[in-house]
Amino acid sequence: MSQILKEVLDANEKYSFNFGDKGSLPIPPGRKFAIVTCMDARLDPAKFAGLAEGDAHVIRNAGGRVTEDVIRSLIISHKLLGTQEWFIIHHSDCGMQIFSNDIIHYLLSESLESANIDEHGTWYNPVKKGGSEAGQYINFLPFKHLEKSVIDDVTVVRNHPLIPKHIPIYGFYYDVKTGKLVEVPEATEIGKAN
Ligand SMILES: [Zn+2]
């Protein structure tokens, strides 16, 4: 068995042993809010936002970008599961800021194996075979400017025809150096309820 597989199953054994009464939690989030954020391993929304099981929806992807699938999840979060306030939280030092679509398209065309980044910040493939051109059809949604990416994504949600105007959307970034949430006032202004 893979070491990671073993570690995860062992941890889960302990978790379920102390599961308490959480088996009786209902589907709708008790605190009626949702967070959209990045999958970055340094971010733990349960800790940085004070969540317990059953409290809130946490929707994560690379960058915490608002994709069609995030919109799908947010609509379900409100329409069927009752959330009334949403946060969009990007973060400093995001991996989405260190490549472009051209770069990842090129890397994938050369090889599907993990790429490396050198001391000058240049990506390269240690193995140069077995690539695919299929990557060029995907927009990986990288971004350069952190606050602008939050503003852009709050704007997309605010303007979506299936999302009620009374839901406030708060725009923030998480500072990976301090653990603090920093508001992006322009984003929150765009996202305010009306
Ligand atoms: Zn990130």
Side-chain angles (χ1 to χ4, degrees):
M1 189 190 285
S2 134
Q3 181 63 25
I4 291 296
L5 179 54
K6 183 179 177 321
E7 288 170 11
V8 168
L9 295 179
D10 286 351
N12 180 253
E13 184 94 6
K14 294 194 184 85
Y15 177 75
S16 67
F17 186 77
N18 297 307
F19 200 58
D21 59 2
K22 291 193 282 287
S24 60
L25 285 169
I27 300 175
R31 292 171 63 202
K32 299 184 187 300
F33 73 101
I35 293 174
V36 176
T37 196
C38 185
M39 68 185 186
D40 191 294
R42 296 167 293 180
L43 275 58
D44 186 340
K47 289 180 184 156
F48 77 60
L51 308 179
E53 291 89 338
D55 274 356
H57 285 144
V58 178
I59 303 160
R60 303 185 71 167
N61 65 22
R65 302 310 312 271
V66 172
T67 60
E68 275 308 299
D69 195 64
V70 167
I71 293 287
R72 178 186 70 88
S73 298
L74 286 172
I75 293 168
I76 291 168
S77 178
H78 169 70
K79 182 70 186 175
L80 301 182
L81 297 170
T83 64
Q84 304 294 338
E85 296 175 71
W86 297 344
F87 293 75
I88 292 178
I89 304 173
H90 295 176
H91 67 97
S92 62
D93 195 36
C94 186
M96 302 296 280
Q97 295 171 295
I98 58 170
F99 69 95
S100 63
N101 272 317
D102 284 349
I103 289 168
I104 193 169
H105 293 164
Y106 167 72
L107 290 166
L108 286 166
S109 72
E110 206 173 58
S111 165
L112 303 185
E113 301 310 316
S114 290
N116 293 333
I117 190 163
D118 71 16
E119 67 273 24
H120 307 294
T122 304
W123 287 99
Y124 66 96
N125 284 311
V127 179
K128 299 187 196 313
K129 59 178 183 194
S132 168
E133 297 298 329
Q136 68 184 286
Y137 303 106
I138 298 178
N139 180 355
F140 288 89
L141 304 173
F143 59 86
K144 288 286 173 235
H145 304 289
L146 177 57
E147 300 200 355
K148 182 177 183 303
S149 73
V150 177
I151 293 165
D152 288 349
D153 282 2
V154 168
T155 303
V156 170
V157 178
R158 179 76 298 153
N159 292 337
H160 198 282
L162 291 173
I163 287 168
K165 303 299 178 205
H166 61 76
I167 296 181
I169 306 154
Y170 312 122
F172 280 82
Y173 69 83
Y174 171 90
D175 184 337
V176 296
K177 297 289 185 223
T178 63
K180 281 198 170 133
L181 288 174
V182 180
E183 186 162 30
V184 180
E186 190 179 340
T188 298
E189 176 62 25
I190 290 164
K192 76 178 193 299
N194 54 50

